[in-house]
Amino acid sequence: MAKYPINNRLFCTISLLVVLSASGIEQKKTYIIRVRHDAKPSVFPTHTHWYESSLRSLSTSTLNTGRVIHSYDAVFHGFSAKLSDSEAQKLEDMPAPGVMAVIPEQVRRVHTTRSPEFLGLKAGDNAGLLRESDFGSDLVVGVIDTGIWPERESFNDRNLGPVPAKWKGECVAGEKFPASLCNRKLIGARYFSGGYEATNGKMNETTEFRSPRDSDGHGTHTASIAAGRYVFPASTLGYGRGVAAGMAPKARLAAYKVCWNAGCYDSDILAAFDAAVADGVDVISLSVGGVVVPYYLDAIAIGAFGASDAGVFVSASAGNGGPGGLTVTNVAPWVTTVGAGSIDRDFPADVRLGNGRIISGVSVYGGPGLEPHKLHPLIYAGSEGSDGYSSSLCLEGSLDHNVVKGKIVLCDRGINSRAAKGEVVKKAGGIGMILANGVFDGEGLVADCHVLPGTSVGAEAGDEIRKYIQSATKSRSQAVATIIFRGTRLHVAPAPVVASFSARGPNPETPEILKPDLIAPGLNILAAWPDNIGPSGIPSDKRHTEFNILSGTSMACPHVSGLAALLKAAHPEWSPAAIRSALMTTAYKLDNRGETMLDESTGNSSTVMDYGAGHVNPPKAMDPGLVYDLSSYDYIDFLCNSNYTTKNIEVVTRKAADCKGAKRAGHIGNLNYPSLTAVFQQYGKHKLSTHFIRTVTNVGNPNSIYTVKIRPPGGGVVTVEPERLVFRRVGQKLNFLVRVKMEALKLSQGSSVVKSGSIVWSDGKHLVTSPLVVTLQQPL
């Protein structure tokens, strides 16, 4: 995959896809066209014939017209094709019944052990989620990503029963991927490249596999996190030694390859959703994202709705745009959006300076270390290179061999990948690298498999090292240092912390729905890795490792996907919304010191905008007591109250939208979501108020009485009616009303303040916790 500076192969972006037609004049873009399911004229034998005929009728030219890229039917009725702007407009203007929407394609990027034990999933327990669910045995997790390396031991099928009878998928053969590579573990594999090739031309098959085989590593890694088998011994270059296992070790896997060298194209992603639901997956895991757009223009939101409507749980990565606010992606309320936290394991690699100072860093460098007990010359690349800027970042060709040779080089983060900087230093003759965060990155550290002795340090540490180098230069002495690799450290405190890169709220599309929903392990996660890619991910790295350590919300998402499979196996009757509710209402906010989780980027306490409902807590999620359930019709009411047009709603839902009933549901925040979020525009008002109506379903003890405990947002008054919920049977639903009153604050124009509290229902055994978030805004 393309590599981006913020977190090495994990950065998200978005663009319209523009390609020139063969004439060199008319621009063609890929569009996704939604049609009514029942609109096909009877003269056409199939929908695809009708689509192609419609396309040919648009233009006097036959160039690139009349060819359907993908035809969709399971989660979406319609097709994708390359069109000029005028052709797209003609298609959209076709009289009903027919075309409902013409959606421009976006290109997405991937968002890229010990975590089962850290999450309380112990294989030896006689009871608990793993045992109750038989390790997810008959559940199928569909992973939409970069493909899979099927030979990895994580995907062996020893002692697994037959493929579930409901499975309708297949193993699509392709380059270096015979269908025989699928087994009782990897039960399906497909690839979708039509959208990618429509924009970029025929793929370069010397660098990519025209098959489900993974040429990047990201998909293999995420698949093994979700459902990898137990593998021992496992490590990355000696780091993180132990047993590797996914969340649902016996769950079946289906790989849907949609991501290629140039990105992941919407038309291919939607085709993967369509196939996964038709194939019979129970869970879809998507560690891919882009910029937030309205749901009716968002192929991921549309595909995920169709999946949810079919009873499939969809989890997606929140993105790696943190630590700034408003960075969260994949924000539709029918998607479980997952941010990233750390686990209680790290890989210290400290810098010892010539002045005696020890600077903390992290690394999973596995080669020969620096000569022990010796300090080596240290330089800052930005003081010694070509133009200062490119050399400070250690960009390709920016370092002078005569200056760098035999030295440890301090490089700044940005532009090229972290591992690529080490390669630049190594090629210039450097013997080691210290990689310093910029101000935006803060103190968040990600361990990398560098190609030379290298370590990563925080922004403040980078400043300290630069000052030491400057001081040595002024005194006309040589700055010196060494890097001390300390291996793997366990039982680290505090943990978890919210990863610096993890995308944060508020939700840019619907501020009344708190996103991310929760966080899960996503920092320095060990999982399976292909044979043909070095652990640093750069082409010159010829090392081989069966496992690799990566970071990103890409790694957090499949943790939740696998846990959802376990919960679905233990509770087959639960809907996707019930599973998400169980995960959210049992999540925790305190670290292993008993204090509020820290934000890695600042070292201060994290907030509800960073972690949503909290950190996932699997043992508790198995028995949540109460759940907040939702149906597709509830989501339609939500879209009605979002002021979407009937046509826009039908583009997302395929259902006729009657918004009359939605008004009875009240405002947009009355979606029966496990979190409660109010946004107040002050407009000079002094007293502000709103209400929420919620319905909880008893999934605990038949006869149980729950009482409420309220922690109001600062300065607010919150009441709940009734204060007691008396249940007589499992499955019984009861309603309650939450009233929130706030006093306006003095705020400057355009500014806002967020205050959070919680509502907790308890029967003495269960704690059912919902975040209660209030945002006060002073409009411009």
Side-chain angles (χ1 to χ4, degrees):
M1 301 302 301
K3 310 211 177 31
Y4 289 81
I6 288 184
N7 27 47
N8 189 17
R9 81 199 294 118
L10 302 169
F11 184 62
C12 320
T13 186
I14 182 176
S15 68
L16 280 179
L17 316 177
V18 181
V19 283
L20 292 178
S21 72
S23 67
I25 299 169
E26 189 180 24
Q27 287 187 325
K28 299 272 184 179
K29 305 170 187 174
T30 299
Y31 287 90
I32 296 167
I33 298 91
R34 165 75 97 176
V35 301
R36 294 187 187 281
H37 181 53
D38 56 356
K40 179 180 75 66
S42 58
V43 294
F44 296 105
T46 68
H47 276 86
T48 301
H49 284 89
W50 175 44
Y51 301 153
E52 288 175 344
S53 174
S54 300
L55 291 177
R56 284 193 293 272
S57 71
L58 292 176
S59 175
T60 54
S61 165
T62 58
L63 293 172
N64 287 319
T65 304
R67 179 173 164 265
V68 169
I69 297 171
H70 292 296
S71 182
Y72 313 105
D73 193 47
V75 299
F76 182 92
H77 295 305
F79 62 101
S80 50
K82 277 174 66 175
L83 304 168
S84 67
D85 288 343
S86 60
E87 288 168 342
Q89 191 60 53
K90 280 184 195 173
L91 202 56
E92 193 158 28
D93 291 343
M94 279 186 171
V99 172
M100 295 171 63
V102 178
I103 303 166
E105 181 170 59
Q106 299 178 45
V107 58
R108 318 279 182 150
R109 303 286 174 192
V110 293
H111 285 147
T112 211
T113 181
R114 180 176 170 76
S115 53
E117 186 177 343
F118 180 68
L119 291 171
L121 296 174
K122 297 188 174 81
D125 288 352
N126 291 324
L129 186 50
L130 283 173
R131 292 284 176 195
E132 289 281 336
S133 64
D134 189 24
F135 300 80
S137 174
D138 282 332
L139 275 288
V140 184
V141 179
V143 180
I144 299 178
D145 211 299
T146 68
I148 197 162
W149 197 266
E151 296 86 355
R152 288 288 75 129
E153 194 60 21
S154 296
F155 310 129
N156 82 72
D157 66 353
R158 282 191 298 277
N159 303 317
L160 283 182
V163 172
K166 65 174 183 176
W167 180 246
K168 300 183 183 68
E170 60 180 301
C171 202
V172 177
E175 185 190 357
K176 296 189 177 175
F177 200 103
S180 59
L181 285 175
C182 286
N183 57 23
R184 295 189 306 274
K185 175 65 174 177
L186 177 63
I187 62 173
R190 299 178 184 268
Y191 66 98
F192 303 88
S193 60
Y196 163 57
E197 292 186 286
T199 296
N200 297 280
K202 197 167 183 291
M203 78 172 64
N204 180 353
E205 294 188 37
T206 64
T207 59
E208 301 195 79
F209 299 110
R210 187 182 290 280
S211 75
R213 185 171 289 281
D214 187 0
S215 60
D216 175 82
H218 189 272
T220 300
H221 203 266
T222 55
S224 70
I225 292 170
R229 302 299 301 275
Y230 290 101
V231 182
F232 178 82
S235 75
T236 300
L237 308 177
Y239 289 86
R241 287 186 190 278
V243 178
M247 295 295 100
K250 285 190 183 178
R252 316 308 172 107
L253 276 166
Y256 299 86
K257 181 177 177 180
V258 300
C259 294
W260 307 85
N261 282 348
C264 323
Y265 288 77
D266 270 0
S267 54
D268 295 333
I269 293 171
L270 193 55
F273 267 107
D274 208 57
V277 171
D279 287 347
V281 303
D282 299 287
V283 173
I284 289 176
S285 187
L286 182 76
S287 292
V288 170
V291 170
V292 175
V293 294
Y295 304 126
Y296 59 88
L297 296 176
D298 185 343
I300 288 178
I302 293 168
F305 185 94
S308 172
D309 190 43
V312 177
F313 179 92
V314 180
S315 58
S317 47
N320 300 308
L326 283 168
T327 49
V328 64
T329 68
N330 294 323
V331 296
W334 46 87
V335 172
T336 299
T337 311
V338 190
S342 69
I343 61 176
D344 62 343
R345 176 185 68 191
D346 69 6
F347 308 104
D350 300 336
V351 178
R352 181 153 65 92
L353 300 176
N355 61 8
R357 285 279 292 132
I358 302 290
I359 306 286
S360 296
V362 297
S363 177
V364 284
Y365 171 69
L370 297 170
E371 192 178 333
H373 314 301
K374 179 181 175 184
L375 296 175
H376 307 271
L378 170 68
I379 62 170
Y380 173 46
S383 303
E384 307 285 352
S386 51
D387 62 1
Y389 176 69
S390 60
S391 55
S392 71
L393 296 166
C394 296
L395 302 183
E396 185 68 41
S398 66
L399 301 182
D400 184 339
H401 177 82
N402 296 319
V403 174
V404 170
K405 186 178 179 184
K407 297 182 175 71
I408 297 173
V409 181
L410 176 68
C411 303
D412 294 334
R413 265 178 82 169
I415 306 299
N416 56 344
S417 77
R418 299 185 301 268
K421 295 176 190 293
E423 183 183 40
V424 170
V425 171
K426 186 177 182 180
K427 285 200 294 194
I431 61 166
M433 176 187 68
I434 302 167
L435 181 57
N437 282 357
V439 174
F440 180 78
D441 304 305
E443 304 308 309
L445 299 180
V446 176
D448 294 303
C449 294
H450 293 294
V451 294
L452 84 172
T455 188
S456 295
V457 301
E460 290 180 9
D463 288 341
E464 183 174 348
I465 296 170
R466 284 186 211 93
K467 284 174 186 170
Y468 163 66
I469 295 171
Q470 288 171 352
S471 170
T473 304
K474 281 181 187 171
S475 63
R476 300 191 177 179
S477 60
Q478 173 67 60
V480 290
T482 191
I483 303 171
I484 305 161
F485 298 96
R486 303 192 186 279
T488 303
R489 186 172 58 150
L490 300 178
H491 308 296
V492 170
V497 300
V498 180
S500 179
F501 56 77
S502 187
R504 319 297 169 99
N507 181 336
E509 177 62 16
T510 313
E512 295 84 0
I513 301 295
L514 181 64
K515 293 283 181 173
D517 289 307
L518 39 69
I519 66 169
L523 186 67
N524 300 330
I525 303 301
L526 184 143
W529 193 248
D531 264 342
N532 66 329
I533 304 157
S536 68
I538 55 181
S540 65
D541 186 357
K542 303 305 180 189
R543 295 173 293 176
H544 294 275
T545 179
E546 186 172 351
F547 295 90
N548 200 6
I549 292 170
L550 295 183
S551 298
T553 56
S554 280
M555 284 68 247
C557 166
H559 279 89
V560 168
S561 309
L563 293 174
L566 295 181
L567 290 171
K568 183 72 173 175
H571 302 284
E573 73 283 4
W574 282 8
S575 69
I579 293 170
R580 177 181 53 223
S581 175
L583 291 165
M584 289 177 65
T585 61
T586 58
Y588 61 84
K589 299 157 200 71
L590 302 181
D591 60 27
N592 55 6
R593 308 166 305 164
E595 299 177 25
T596 301
M597 288 185 292
L598 297 182
D599 179 348
E600 188 191 33
S601 68
T602 62
N604 299 325
S605 293
S606 55
T607 73
V608 69
M609 290 299 171
D610 306 329
Y611 54 68
H615 190 284
V616 67
N617 188 358
K620 294 283 188 188
M622 184 186 152
D623 181 20
L626 305 175
V627 293
Y628 294 81
D629 209 353
L630 283 163
S631 71
S632 295
Y633 292 99
D634 294 313
Y635 292 128
I636 291 173
D637 286 348
F638 160 81
L639 292 170
C640 288
N641 289 325
S642 301
N643 294 322
Y644 279 24
T645 66
T646 302
K647 185 177 179 182
N648 288 343
I649 294 168
E650 288 188 50
V651 168
V652 177
T653 66
R654 293 188 299 172
K655 291 178 166 57
D658 177 4
C659 286
K660 294 183 193 130
K663 303 309 172 190
R664 288 196 297 274
H667 56 84
I668 191 171
N670 270 341
L671 180 69
N672 196 43
Y673 214 70
S675 54
L676 297 84
T677 305
V679 180
F680 291 117
Q681 305 287 345
Q682 296 196 155
Y683 290 116
K685 298 175 188 170
H686 295 296
K687 296 193 179 297
L688 308 160
S689 64
T690 191
H691 72 279
F692 300 95
I693 300 167
R694 289 291 188 267
T695 303
V696 284
T697 304
N698 181 24
V699 295
N701 303 321
N703 292 293
S704 50
I705 300 172
Y706 284 82
T707 55
V708 72
K709 183 178 180 182
I710 302 166
R711 188 173 67 84
V717 176
V718 177
T719 57
V720 175
E721 302 168 19
E723 295 180 346
R724 293 169 79 246
L725 298 174
V726 180
F727 292 96
R728 298 296 179 217
R729 58 183 173 82
V730 173
Q732 185 180 353
K733 297 178 183 290
L734 291 176
N735 300 331
F736 63 92
L737 174 70
V738 181
R739 297 188 190 278
V740 180
K741 296 179 180 178
M742 299 292 295
E743 294 281 343
L745 299 176
K746 286 187 178 178
L747 298 172
S748 57
Q749 285 191 348
S751 66
S752 63
V753 64
V754 176
K755 295 179 176 290
S756 65
S758 62
I759 290 173
V760 184
W761 290 99
S762 177
D763 65 347
K765 176 184 176 185
H766 305 94
L767 292 174
V768 186
T769 304
S770 290
L772 174 57
V773 186
V774 171
T775 301
L776 303 172
Q777 293 182 340
Q778 188 62 42
L780 288 168

